[in-house]
């Protein structure tokens, strides 16, 4: 693997980055700002100056941007496009870019001439720096450097730069990682043989053969979770087993103790001007204070990086969870142990399924415009998810062009049915608005169906080792899905089960809470955003279910049948269930021209010859739509 080193006119104006693998096909944009790799110190470099491409023959191609102001020099000549190899360099402005090899991890055997010292981090932290002021000043700048790093690559570049500047005797600094057992193809490999990867490497000079990383030293420090320092005599360097460079005589490795940096470590190697009175071959001798100070500083840097990376990881996790959890849930996660909050447990839930109608037909009609169709579906799904979250629910899952949400977990909500009803109202209004806007733009035209059921279910982080998601399961979830499917058969937009309907009707706060046991007036339910009507549609046995259920329509009062028509429907439904189909037929016929559920039941009676079948129990057995 090859690296590119950028070196400006001042020592601190530098970085070293790994060039991409040729097989990836990735190109790097090099410039002063707004590029993949930025060189902010050189004003002669344009914001986007050159492209870098690695070829399969290991040559690196440099292509100057036509808008770049200043030339690129290669071998002393202006060259807008050229190829170079390891060991060569090019110049832009006052900055030299050199291609060098990245050292690997050596598995050479250890030597008896190496003295090894292990340090527990609690002991290191009690140690006082000899040059405390300069060390503290450098540590104080580290949080800003780290938090402004937008990527892990930039984080590692800045961390290694800080360590090189703070460790004058260091020749090279690397961030290494021990491969996890799950990441290796050979899972039976002994822990002691797990490969060591170099995540980032930087050296003080431009040596073609820089010191290699000792895989044995890194593995020992990471697995034992303790900092390890190894020192050897300069004349033993070639036989030390920990380096292939004769210019170094010590190395240490500091593990990063954080789940955000699992298996990571800082590896530093260098050369002391003199060991003073310290004899590296004396196993009982105390290492020089300077080396122990450098080790402690690396330990502090590693601890700070690990903690900040953990914080950023939690922030990203929280940001991603906001897509699925309402603010009230996020507050609970912030104040309690997330593992405890999210663990699966039984709860009383109101579960909603919302599905788009007409997607299959539109996908066939717009087969040449599938990306446009995808945008329309995504926008509609966004309406559903926003409504669920706005009403304090949890996004449980997506099923193609349908979304599932639920209320009552991880925090119990006494008004979960009201929240679910409000979400259905919001979805209905927003999708109607989208369709109205789409009529003039040949856009959406999606209808929708919503099913809501209330009851006990298990909710939480559910899944396998390979895939975990937050969702709910149980009979009430299956019922909500079936109710959503029944909206198409009955020609209504929202169907709820009996517990949901009963809860809504029992929540009335004054005498106007219900009309004829069906209508709920505005203000009757605390927290309900709009007046609604719930009417019993039928007693049915949905496909795949054993027990029959009473189903209800949930609609806006402004769009529902008038009171007299509601009473007529209920009179017809009672006669239908009791088997008096002549009375039922007469009642339904009165409102069938303006009521799809009446048409549905009239059609059912017509198919049965206007007489209930033998053994009629008042239950409609329905096929899955």
């Amino acid at each position: 693997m090859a690296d590119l080193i950028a070196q400006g006119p001042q020592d601190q104006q530098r970085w070293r980055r790994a060039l991409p693998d040729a097989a990836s096909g990735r190109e790097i944009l090099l410039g002063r700002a707004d590029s993949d790799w930025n060189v902010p110190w050189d004003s002669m470099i344009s914001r986007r100056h050159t492209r870098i491409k690695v070829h399969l023959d290991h040559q690196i191609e440099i292509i100057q941007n036509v808008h770049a102001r200043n030339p690129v020099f290669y071998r002393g000549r202006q060259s807008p496009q050229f190829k170079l190899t390891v060991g060569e360099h090019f110049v832009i402005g006052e900055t030299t870019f050199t291609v060098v090899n990245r050292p690997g991890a050596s598995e050479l055997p250890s030597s008896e001439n190496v003295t090894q010292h292990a340090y527990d981090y609690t002991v290191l932290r009690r140690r006082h720096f000899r040059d405390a002021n300069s060390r503290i000043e450098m540590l104080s700048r580290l949080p800003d450097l780290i938090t402004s790093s937008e990527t892990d690559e930039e984080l590692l570049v800045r961390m290694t730069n800080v360590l090189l500047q703070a460790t004058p005797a260091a020749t090279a600094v690397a961030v290494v990682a021990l491969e996890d057992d799950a990441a290796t193809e050979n899972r039976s490999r002994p822990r002691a043989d797990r490969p060591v990867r170099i995540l980032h490497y930087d050296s003080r000079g431009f040596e073609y053969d820089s010191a290699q990383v000792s895989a044995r030293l890194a593995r020992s420090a990471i697995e034992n979770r303790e900092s390890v320092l190894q020192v050897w005599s300069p004349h033993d360097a070639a036989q030390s087993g920990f380096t292939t460079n004769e210019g170094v005589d010590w190395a240490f490795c500091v593990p990063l103790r954080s789940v955000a940096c699992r298996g990571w470590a800082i590896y530093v190697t260098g050369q002391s001007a003199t060991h003073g009175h310290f004899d590296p071959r004396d196993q009982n001798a105390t290492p020089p204070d300077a080396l122990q100070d450098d080790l402690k500083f690396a330990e502090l840097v590693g601890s700070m990086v690990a903690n900040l990376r953990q914080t950023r990881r939690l922030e990203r996790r929280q940001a991603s969870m906001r897509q699925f959890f309402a603010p009230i849930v996020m507050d609970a996660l912030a104040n309690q142990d997330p593992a405890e909050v999210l663990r699966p447990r039984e709860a009383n839930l109101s579960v909603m399924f919302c599905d788009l109608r007409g997607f299959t037909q539109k996908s066939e009609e717009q087969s040449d415009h599938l990306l446009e169709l995808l945008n329309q579906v995504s926008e509609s799904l966004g309406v559903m998810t926003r409504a669920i979250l706005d009403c304090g629910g949890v996004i449980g899952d997506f099923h193609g062009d349908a979304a599932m949400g639920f209320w009552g977990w991880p925090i119990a909500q006494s008004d979960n049915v009201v929240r679910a009803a409000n979400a259905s109202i919001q979805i209905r209004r927003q999708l109607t608005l989208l369709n109205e806007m789409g009529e003039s733009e040949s856009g959406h035209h999606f209808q929708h169906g919503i099913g809501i059921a209330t009851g006990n279910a298990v909710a939480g982080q559910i899944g396998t080792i390979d895939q975990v998601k937050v969702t709910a399961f149980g009979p009430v979830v299956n019922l909500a899905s079936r109710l959503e499917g029944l909206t198409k058969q009955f020609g209504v937009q929202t169907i709820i089960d009996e517990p949901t309907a009963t809860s809504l009707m029992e929540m009335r706060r004054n005498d106007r809470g219900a009309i004829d046991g069906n209508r709920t007036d505005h203000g009757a339910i605390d927290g309900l955003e709009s007046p609604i009507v719930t009417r019993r549609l039928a007693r049915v046995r949905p496909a795949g279910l054993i027990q029959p259920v009473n189903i209800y329509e949930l609609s806006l009062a402004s769009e529902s049948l008038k009171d007299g028509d509601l009473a007529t429907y209920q009179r017809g439904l009672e006669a239908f269930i009791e088997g008096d189909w002549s009375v039922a037929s007469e009642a339904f016929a009165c409102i069938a021209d303006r009521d799809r559920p009446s048409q549905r039941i009239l059609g059912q009676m017509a198919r049965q010859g206007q007489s209930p079948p033998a053994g009629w129990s008042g239950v409609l057995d329905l096929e899955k739509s």
Side-chain angles (χ1 to χ4, degrees), residues 263-370:
W264 287 22
I266 296 172
Y267 185 97
V268 183
T269 189
Q271 183 175 25
S272 299
T274 174
H275 286 308
H277 300 294
F278 174 70
D279 183 357
R281 290 166 294 189
D282 183 357
Q283 299 289 331
N284 296 318
T286 302
D289 288 339
L291 280 181
Q292 295 188 72
D293 281 357
D294 292 340
L295 181 64
K296 174 176 179 173
F297 184 79
E299 175 80 44
L300 291 175
V301 170
S303 177
M304 190 175 297
V305 168
N307 290 337
L308 287 172
R309 193 168 187 268
Q310 174 74 357
T311 300
R312 286 171 56 175
R313 181 186 182 188
L314 291 174
E315 288 174 348
R316 286 194 297 268
R317 180 181 178 185
Q318 236 185 359
S320 66
M321 291 171 72
R322 287 192 184 99
Q323 302 175 48
F324 303 96
F325 294 138
I328 189 173
V329 180
M330 295 304 299
D331 291 342
L333 292 173
N335 297 324
Q336 302 178 46
D337 179 7
E340 177 61 23
V341 173
L342 300 179
R343 70 174 179 82
R345 62 181 179 276
E346 190 171 324
N348 182 262
L349 305 181
S350 287
V351 182
M352 168 192 286
F353 274 80
C354 184
D355 184 39
L356 297 178
R357 301 279 188 250
F359 173 74
T360 302
Q361 180 180 347
K362 290 201 70 173
S363 64
E364 293 177 357
E365 295 172 351
Q366 299 186 21
S367 58
D368 295 332
H369 305 281
L370 291 179

Side-chain angles (χ1 to χ4, degrees), residues 103-393:
S106 170
E107 293 286 356
L108 293 175
S110 59
S111 166
E112 296 179 357
N113 297 321
V114 174
T115 301
Q116 177 167 302
H117 303 267
Y119 297 85
D120 182 83
Y121 75 97
T122 56
V123 175
L124 281 174
R125 290 182 180 180
R126 289 197 298 267
R127 175 183 172 83
H128 297 287
F129 283 122
R130 294 179 306 147
D131 54 346
N133 290 337
S134 63
R135 300 281 184 169
I136 292 172
E137 194 273 333
M138 297 191 80
L139 285 172
S140 67
R141 299 202 310 266
L142 193 59
D144 288 338
L145 288 173
I146 294 174
T147 53
S148 60
S149 303
E150 296 183 357
T151 64
D152 277 345
E153 179 186 44
E154 186 65 28
L155 172 65
L156 299 181
V157 168
R158 296 186 181 192
M159 181 170 65
T160 53
N161 275 343
V162 167
L163 287 167
L164 275 176
Q165 293 176 34
T167 316
T171 300
V173 175
V175 181
V176 300
L178 192 61
E179 285 193 1
D180 189 25
D181 289 328
T184 60
E185 293 183 2
N186 182 10
R187 299 196 180 189
S188 62
R189 185 198 308 270
R191 288 176 60 86
D193 293 334
R194 283 194 287 168
V196 172
R197 292 185 297 117
I198 298 179
L199 302 179
H200 187 70
Y201 185 98
D202 202 355
S203 59
R204 196 172 298 282
F206 296 90
E207 296 86 358
Y208 180 79
D209 291 319
S210 299
Q212 289 195 3
V213 169
S214 166
R216 292 172 178 267
L217 172 55
R219 198 178 290 118
S220 173
I222 293 170
E223 293 196 341
N224 294 324
R225 297 177 64 80
E226 60 183 7
S227 297
V228 178
L229 166 66
Q230 293 179 335
V231 187
W232 56 89
S233 297
H235 64 271
D236 290 330
Q239 292 80 36
S240 68
F242 296 93
T243 177
T244 58
N245 187 303
E246 296 184 4
V248 298
D249 54 20
W250 59 265
F252 62 72
C253 190
V254 174
L256 303 188
R257 303 173 184 86
S258 168
V259 293
C261 305
R262 192 184 303 278
W264 287 22
I266 296 172
Y267 185 97
V268 183
T269 189
Q271 183 175 25
S272 299
T274 174
H275 286 308
H277 300 294
F278 174 70
D279 183 357
R281 290 166 294 189
D282 183 357
Q283 299 289 331
N284 296 318
T286 302
D289 288 339
L291 280 181
Q292 295 188 72
D293 281 357
D294 292 340
L295 181 64
K296 174 176 179 173
F297 184 79
E299 175 80 44
L300 291 175
V301 170
S303 177
M304 190 175 297
V305 168
N307 290 337
L308 287 172
R309 193 168 187 268
Q310 174 74 357
T311 300
R312 286 171 56 175
R313 181 186 182 188
L314 291 174
E315 288 174 348
R316 286 194 297 268
R317 180 181 178 185
Q318 236 185 359
S320 66
M321 291 171 72
R322 287 192 184 99
Q323 302 175 48
F324 303 96
F325 294 138
I328 189 173
V329 180
M330 295 304 299
D331 291 342
L333 292 173
N335 297 324
Q336 302 178 46
D337 179 7
E340 177 61 23
V341 173
L342 300 179
R343 70 174 179 82
R345 62 181 179 276
E346 190 171 324
N348 182 262
L349 305 181
S350 287
V351 182
M352 168 192 286
F353 274 80
C354 184
D355 184 39
L356 297 178
R357 301 279 188 250
F359 173 74
T360 302
Q361 180 180 347
K362 290 201 70 173
S363 64
E364 293 177 357
E365 295 172 351
Q366 299 186 21
S367 58
D368 295 332
H369 305 281
L370 291 179
L371 282 178
E372 181 180 342
L373 178 61
L374 175 62
N375 290 334
Q376 294 174 7
V377 172
S378 297
E379 190 172 10
S380 298
L381 287 173
V383 168
M384 300 177 193
T385 56
R386 283 194 299 273
I388 293 170
L389 295 180
D390 287 348
C391 295

Side-chain angles (χ1 to χ4, degrees), residues 63 74 205 245 343 360 451 473 519 546 569:
I63 306 167
Y74 172 59
N245 187 303
R343 70 174 179 82
T360 302
F473 74 94
R519 189 180 186 93
I546 298 174
Y569 185 89

Side-chain angles (χ1 to χ4, degrees), residues 262-581:
R262 192 184 303 278
W264 287 22
I266 296 172
Y267 185 97
V268 183
T269 189
Q271 183 175 25
S272 299
T274 174
H275 286 308
H277 300 294
F278 174 70
D279 183 357
R281 290 166 294 189
D282 183 357
Q283 299 289 331
N284 296 318
T286 302
D289 288 339
L291 280 181
Q292 295 188 72
D293 281 357
D294 292 340
L295 181 64
K296 174 176 179 173
F297 184 79
E299 175 80 44
L300 291 175
V301 170
S303 177
M304 190 175 297
V305 168
N307 290 337
L308 287 172
R309 193 168 187 268
Q310 174 74 357
T311 300
R312 286 171 56 175
R313 181 186 182 188
L314 291 174
E315 288 174 348
R316 286 194 297 268
R317 180 181 178 185
Q318 236 185 359
S320 66
M321 291 171 72
R322 287 192 184 99
Q323 302 175 48
F324 303 96
F325 294 138
I328 189 173
V329 180
M330 295 304 299
D331 291 342
L333 292 173
N335 297 324
Q336 302 178 46
D337 179 7
E340 177 61 23
V341 173
L342 300 179
R343 70 174 179 82
R345 62 181 179 276
E346 190 171 324
N348 182 262
L349 305 181
S350 287
V351 182
M352 168 192 286
F353 274 80
C354 184
D355 184 39
L356 297 178
R357 301 279 188 250
F359 173 74
T360 302
Q361 180 180 347
K362 290 201 70 173
S363 64
E364 293 177 357
E365 295 172 351
Q366 299 186 21
S367 58
D368 295 332
H369 305 281
L370 291 179
L371 282 178
E372 181 180 342
L373 178 61
L374 175 62
N375 290 334
Q376 294 174 7
V377 172
S378 297
E379 190 172 10
S380 298
L381 287 173
V383 168
M384 300 177 193
T385 56
R386 283 194 299 273
I388 293 170
L389 295 180
D390 287 348
C391 295
V394 175
I395 304 298
D397 210 345
F398 292 99
H399 301 269
D401 54 351
M404 186 268 273
F406 56 92
W407 291 260
W409 178 96
I411 301 172
Q413 296 164 310
S414 59
D415 59 344
N416 54 346
V417 292
V418 173
R419 292 175 181 272
N422 279 334
S424 70
I425 294 169
Q426 183 174 328
I427 291 171
R428 179 169 183 169
R429 286 175 171 167
Q430 291 300 314
L431 289 181
T432 299
L433 180 61
L434 281 179
N435 284 332
E436 290 174 352
M437 294 171 58
E439 287 179 1
S440 60
E441 303 172 3
S442 299
H444 286 76
H445 304 294
F446 285 124
Q447 299 301 316
H448 69 281
I450 297 175
I452 302 174
T454 299
N456 287 339
V458 173
Q461 279 191 334
I462 299 169
T464 64
I465 295 176
D466 299 320
Q467 183 177 15
V468 176
K469 61 183 177 181
V470 172
T471 189
F473 74 94
V476 70
V477 179
N478 297 333
L479 177 58
S481 177
R482 296 294 193 275
L483 296 181
E484 177 273 314
L486 296 185
T487 59
K488 185 185 300 183
Q489 295 190 36
F490 280 86
V492 298
Q493 291 186 316
T494 305
I495 292 181
I496 61 178
D497 69 344
E498 189 166 26
T500 304
T502 301
S503 295
L504 287 171
M505 288 186 285
E506 287 179 349
M507 285 182 176
R508 62 181 181 270
R509 301 302 184 191
N510 52 46
D511 293 337
R512 299 175 60 206
I515 296 179
D516 295 331
N518 296 301
R519 189 180 186 93
T520 303
D521 281 350
H522 180 61
I525 295 181
D526 187 23
L528 194 65
E529 296 179 358
S530 300
I532 61 170
V533 170
T534 59
R535 67 155 162 167
R536 187 184 181 194
L537 288 177
R539 184 166 178 78
V540 302
R541 184 181 290 108
L545 299 184
I546 298 174
Q547 297 297 324
V549 294
N550 289 313
I551 62 173
Y552 293 73
E553 178 190 11
L554 176 66
S555 62
L556 293 172
S558 58
E559 300 174 357
S560 71
L561 292 174
K562 302 303 180 184
D563 293 343
D565 290 343
L566 283 173
T568 298
Y569 185 89
Q570 293 305 313
R571 185 171 67 251
L573 179 60
E574 290 173 3
F576 174 72
I577 292 174
E578 293 172 1
D580 190 350
W581 282 19

